[in-house]
Amino acid sequence: MSKRQVAMVFDLNKCLGCQTCTIACKRLWTREEGMDYMWWATVNTMPGRGTPRDWETSGGGFKDGAAQPGRMPSRKDFGEAWKFNHEEVFFGGKGQSTHLHVEGDQPDWGPNWDEDQGGGEYPNSYYFYLPRICNHCTHPACLEACPRKAIVKREEDGIVLIDEDRCRGYRFCMEACPYKKIYFNHVKKVSQKCIFCFPRVEQGVAPACARMCPGRVRFVGYKDDQNGPIWKLVEKWKVAIPLHPEFGTEPNVFYVPPIAPPRYDENGNIDESKPRIPDEYLVSLFGPKVLDVLAILKAEMAKTRAGEKSEVLDVLIAYQWKSMFGGFDRDPATIEWTKG
Amino acid sequence: MRVNFVRGAPVEWLLDPEAEPWSRAQAEKVELYGTPIGMQPTEIIRTAWANRKIGAVGEVRVSALHNGEVIAFRLDWPDATENRDLDDTSAFPDGAAIMLPVVAGAPLATMGAEGKPVSIWYWRADADTQGRNVLSEGIGTSRTLDTKLVSSHGVWRNGRWNVVIARPFKIQSSDPQVALEPGQTTEFGVAVWEGSNSERGGVKAFSGAWRPLEIAPSTGGGKA
Ligand code: SF4
Ligand code: SF4
């Protein structure tokens, strides 16, 4: 275990599915050769098969402490970086006789392929967005899989990084990571993944996905900082829990589970007896603790409706944008960045 | 195995596994074994490979020549699949390596040990001519010293790999390197990775034990 651990909390009740985080990361980190199909930060509609396709059932991680075999996701499962006929559409002079389409093989999957499909039956259909990054796990399966010790977990902040000079592209990490958050760079022949924007974090700047998020979804900070949002949400109020805790890697990204609007009964009346998002589904994602979290949130919401104050809801609402970053609130524009 | 001397053979010939001088080498059959599961360095690899065959290639023919300046090994083995690319995440390239002890008594099975390094000359089909000069002092410690000293080239034809891996005798380096010269005797080991079987890293076929290597002196040897 590292001395300290930076972490994030994603409040799923606020995520708009706008993909600003996804693009912020893409523009900052994955624009180089061999990275075109990479999305270190993803946002998928749930229920859904996700990115890469069916990652939730791809094995890996640990069960009762024992390593589990994992499947290698294919490039198609992640989704290729499609090439479009932009030239033809915009400059080909073909007017309405052509339209935008993917060139070459027609894809049958991609990042966010099943966007907004969700689950349930009208009028009680439901969905929510699930942003994901590498969880910078406390018990990282990727690190433990690597025979070359090419993956390190930093002492000072627990960020999990791949040393590209030591990596020989064996991809045992890709099989081992149960969250399937490692990509293979086919040009550099090394594995690559989310770096928690460590060059920014080192300068006191929150990761780009968090700063750019218009929904104020993504909280950042040290897990043990009692003045920061992570400690308050995870430890004090216990309203943020990891995704698939049963994978055994002890993620350091935590989620505030979604509360959907109420259901309608057969007569079209509001029916509060059952939740719209089935409890079983949320339990399948976040484990049984999710029900405790929902109970806490509902109780806090009831409190505020009765005119009382709720510290946890105040934290979640994030009245002060900077309060979300646990001290990592320096403006990146004040720093002179150099490429090392 | 004897490393025959071929007077005046140009390096390009030695680096061409199908060139004429190789017909003058004495090929030796080396039986290969899958690396034992217990020796895989991480639990995750041991679990993933518990019920899978490690070491798809069971035998390799090895021969070696030198021209007084460069020593070259040639490895050839049957392989139905030519795995050169890593286009998909599940695609792995074929590979082969020669291992030599840097100091006498360096263990082969663990790829050296602390203070007892081994030198590994490594060829991988996806970077055919960019041989790697690797130093190892035990499993998981191997590091590439450079990609210039060792030359390599593989030709796949009619279901067979024919791969040459070569290095000059005389080198200048501040790293521990295996010192070799004509007339010397030492030992060598071999490893082969079968890409179609997802073999990479410690998941490979290897020669099990050191085999004697006798480098002919740079005398006689006939004309190339
Ligand atoms: S999410 Fe996957 S890649 Fe990230 S630290 Fe955990 S095991 Fe490693
Ligand atoms: S930027 Fe924020 S609101 Fe938009 S998809 Fe990402 S996490 Fe959700």
Side-chain angles (χ1 to χ4, degrees):
Chain A
M1 220 207 276
S2 54
K3 282 207 189 80
R4 289 194 94 183
Q5 178 69 54
V6 287
M8 285 209 209
V9 168
F10 295 167
D11 182 354
L12 299 184
N13 292 295
K14 294 165 84 183
C15 179
L16 316 160
C18 67
Q19 308 283 354
T20 309
C21 48
T22 313
I23 299 300
C25 176
K26 182 87 207 158
R27 290 194 58 88
L28 194 54
W29 298 120
T30 60
R31 297 178 73 187
E32 289 178 10
E33 264 198 323
M35 299 176 116
D36 42 3
Y37 84 110
M38 292 186 196
W39 301 93
W40 292 352
T42 48
V43 182
N44 280 95
T45 301
M46 301 300 277
R49 295 172 70 185
T51 306
R53 179 164 44 194
D54 299 330
W55 67 271
E56 291 180 79
T57 51
S58 64
F62 306 92
K63 195 172 179 184
D64 303 321
Q68 300 297 303
R71 187 168 56 81
M72 180 82 81
S74 74
R75 231 159 106 163
K76 284 209 157 64
D77 291 332
F78 285 106
E80 298 281 359
W82 308 315
K83 301 256 180 308
F84 290 88
N85 59 334
H86 288 127
E87 269 301 303
E88 185 188 27
V89 171
F90 296 129
F91 311 109
K94 294 192 180 165
Q96 296 296 320
S97 69
T98 185
H99 63 278
L100 202 63
H101 63 77
V102 175
E103 291 180 333
D105 280 356
Q106 292 308 295
D108 65 357
W109 199 252
N112 203 24
W113 186 264
D114 44 4
E115 181 170 26
D116 291 356
Q117 287 179 11
E121 288 296 323
Y122 178 83
N124 290 316
S125 32
Y126 63 90
Y127 69 83
F128 57 90
Y129 297 112
L130 183 73
R132 299 203 304 125
I133 57 171
C134 159
N135 295 299
H136 298 274
C137 304
T138 296
H139 189 189
C142 57
L143 180 152
E144 293 182 26
C146 179
R148 293 190 50 75
K149 303 185 177 81
I151 305 185
V152 292
K153 184 165 180 67
R154 305 207 303 183
E155 267 301 300
E156 64 273 32
D157 53 21
I159 294 176
V160 175
L161 295 176
I162 301 175
D163 177 346
E164 290 183 11
D165 292 329
R166 279 209 63 74
C167 176
R168 291 285 283 129
Y170 297 156
R171 288 159 270 167
F172 292 112
C173 55
M174 286 182 78
E175 292 174 338
C177 170
Y179 297 93
K180 293 294 169 263
K181 266 298 168 193
I182 296 190
Y183 288 80
F184 183 59
N185 184 317
H186 301 264
V187 176
K188 286 180 91 179
K189 300 175 184 174
V190 291
S191 297
Q192 295 177 322
K193 65 173 218 32
C194 160
I195 57 174
F196 209 93
C197 287
F198 76 88
R200 291 166 64 102
V201 165
E202 285 171 359
Q203 303 292 328
V205 181
C209 60
R211 262 189 84 94
M212 297 296 279
C213 173
R216 300 198 181 181
V217 169
R218 305 165 86 104
F219 297 85
V220 180
Y222 284 113
K223 235 164 122 179
D224 62 1
D225 173 8
Q226 301 203 359
N227 298 314
I230 307 296
W231 185 83
K232 283 182 188 153
L233 295 171
V234 174
E235 302 293 339
K236 183 173 181 194
W237 288 98
K238 299 193 176 2
V239 293
I241 48 179
L243 177 61
H244 285 301
E246 77 281 11
F247 288 170
T249 62
E250 297 175 44
N252 288 302
V253 172
F254 301 86
Y255 293 87
V256 179
I259 304 174
R263 301 166 46 89
Y264 295 104
D265 65 16
E266 313 73 82
N267 307 316
N269 297 318
I270 284 179
D271 170 14
E272 304 235 32
S273 67
K274 277 190 289 187
R276 179 179 284 240
I277 305 178
D279 283 347
E280 314 81 76
Y281 180 60
L282 291 179
V283 169
S284 77
L285 289 177
F286 301 105
K289 275 195 190 150
V290 71
L291 302 178
D292 305 337
V293 174
L294 292 174
I296 296 169
L297 289 173
K298 282 182 187 146
E300 290 297 312
M301 286 159 75
K303 250 166 69 180
T304 55
R305 262 187 234 113
E308 288 174 51
K309 266 196 85 62
S310 162
E311 184 195 2
V312 60
L313 292 189
D314 282 354
V315 173
L316 286 172
I317 290 165
Y319 291 104
Q320 296 297 322
W321 180 56
K322 285 189 171 184
S323 73
M324 298 187 67
F325 303 135
F328 293 97
D329 55 13
R330 189 161 166 204
D331 178 353
T334 62
I335 297 169
E336 183 123 354
W337 300 95
T338 52
K339 202 172 164 180
Chain B
M1 185 179 67
R2 189 172 162 86
V3 186
N4 283 346
F5 171 58
V6 204
R7 181 181 298 280
V11 176
E12 303 80 68
W13 289 16
L14 295 182
L15 284 176
D16 177 357
E18 297 181 318
E20 189 277 334
W22 285 105
S23 65
R24 286 185 244 170
Q26 295 162 2
E28 184 172 302
K29 278 189 181 157
V30 177
E31 210 179 321
L32 302 180
Y33 310 90
T35 42
I37 191 83
M39 268 177 53
Q40 302 305 326
T42 69
E43 189 207 343
I44 291 174
I45 299 175
R46 291 191 292 275
T47 305
W49 286 82
N51 301 309
R52 284 181 75 176
K53 161 105 179 137
I54 296 180
V57 176
E59 190 179 89
V60 58
R61 263 192 339 210
V62 186
S63 40
L65 291 173
H66 78 88
N67 63 0
E69 280 158 18
V70 169
I71 175 167
F73 290 84
R74 193 184 77 158
L75 289 76
D76 74 279
W77 69 96
D79 183 354
T81 53
E82 179 184 15
N83 303 106
R84 279 197 187 265
D85 64 48
L86 307 81
D87 271 359
D88 208 342
T89 42
S90 53
F92 294 92
D94 294 325
I98 290 286
M99 187 157 92
L100 300 145
V102 173
V103 295
L108 170 130
T110 56
M111 291 165 54
E114 219 184 310
K116 291 186 175 171
V118 294
S119 209
I120 297 163
W121 304 352
Y122 181 84
W123 163 86
R124 208 166 83 176
D126 61 308
D128 182 38
T129 55
Q130 195 194 63
R132 275 176 184 265
N133 181 28
V134 173
L135 187 82
S136 171
E137 292 187 87
I139 286 172
T141 68
S142 66
R143 64 190 167 101
T144 300
L145 297 178
D146 64 85
T147 53
K148 296 197 172 66
L149 213 50
V150 172
S151 309
S152 61
H153 178 43
V155 175
W156 185 91
R157 207 187 298 285
N158 303 327
R160 263 195 111 75
W161 271 115
N162 210 335
V163 173
V164 167
I165 304 175
R167 201 205 77 178
F169 282 116
K170 283 208 187 74
I171 53 168
Q172 287 192 329
S173 166
S174 50
D175 291 304
Q177 305 268 14
V178 54
L180 294 172
E181 56 183 23
Q184 182 193 346
T185 54
T186 178
E187 297 170 311
F188 77 101
V190 192
V192 176
W193 289 261
E194 175 51 51
S196 68
N197 191 37
S198 302
E199 293 181 1
R200 73 274 203 201
V203 178
K204 66 191 175 200
F206 80 123
S207 58
W210 292 116
R211 303 175 70 96
L213 187 74
E214 186 191 324
I215 307 173
S218 302
T219 51
K223 269 249 171 335

